[in-house]
Amino acid sequence: QVQLVESGGGSVQAGGSLRLSCVASGYFRVAWFRQAPGKEREGVACIITHTDSTYYTASVKGRFTISQDGAKRTVFLQMNSLKPEDTAMYYCAAAKSQTFDFLSPGQYNDWGQGTQVTVSS
């Protein structure tokens, strides 16, 4: 199992922005998940690396953008208009196989250690 490397978390006020980065090379799909205390891990966004197709959970559509760099080695999650309910530990995950369940944690093999995002009101 490969450990992915995330960075970019922090603390911001509501309405602010943060950008998360994940070094993940050679995968078919890369996703971001988040987990707040006492809650289940939730899929946030996914990118299919060879097509740039993206998928989002409803609560972040229009506010978050997942993308990758030209070398397809780093995946980003740009988070704008942050809300207190976005507060969670954010994890990068990746897999080399195809699935139609892009935002299910069980469909991913490799994970990062997590980076904390805290949004204050």
Side-chain angles (χ1 to χ4, degrees):
Q1 190 174 7
V2 174
Q3 182 87 45
L4 306 177
V5 179
E6 306 129 333
S7 60
S11 298
V12 294
Q13 290 191 325
S17 299
L18 284 172
R19 189 174 83 156
L20 307 182
S21 300
C22 174
V23 178
S25 179
Y27 291 98
F28 180 84
R29 49 190 164 91
V30 180
W32 287 95
F33 291 80
R34 65 186 180 186
Q35 189 166 19
K39 294 189 176 181
E40 292 187 355
R41 191 165 294 192
E42 173 191 28
V44 175
C46 173
I47 187 166
I48 307 302
T49 59
H50 68 284
T51 64
D52 280 332
S53 298
T54 57
Y55 304 88
Y56 298 93
T57 193
S59 62
V60 307
K61 281 183 181 177
R63 300 189 299 123
F64 291 11
T65 302
I66 189 170
S67 63
Q68 60 183 337
D69 67 354
K72 299 183 179 180
R73 292 197 179 110
T74 303
V75 172
F76 305 100
L77 184 68
Q78 178 67 43
M79 305 185 293
N80 298 329
S81 302
L82 282 161
K83 304 175 181 180
E85 51 263 44
D86 295 318
T87 295
M89 186 72 78
Y90 282 69
Y91 298 89
C92 177
K96 296 185 177 181
S97 61
Q98 188 175 11
T99 184
F100 292 105
D101 198 0
F102 301 110
L103 298 180
S104 172
Q107 298 296 320
Y108 291 84
N109 312 105
D110 297 331
W111 290 83
Q113 77 287 354
T115 185
Q116 179 67 38
V117 171
T118 302
V119 184
S120 58
S121 56

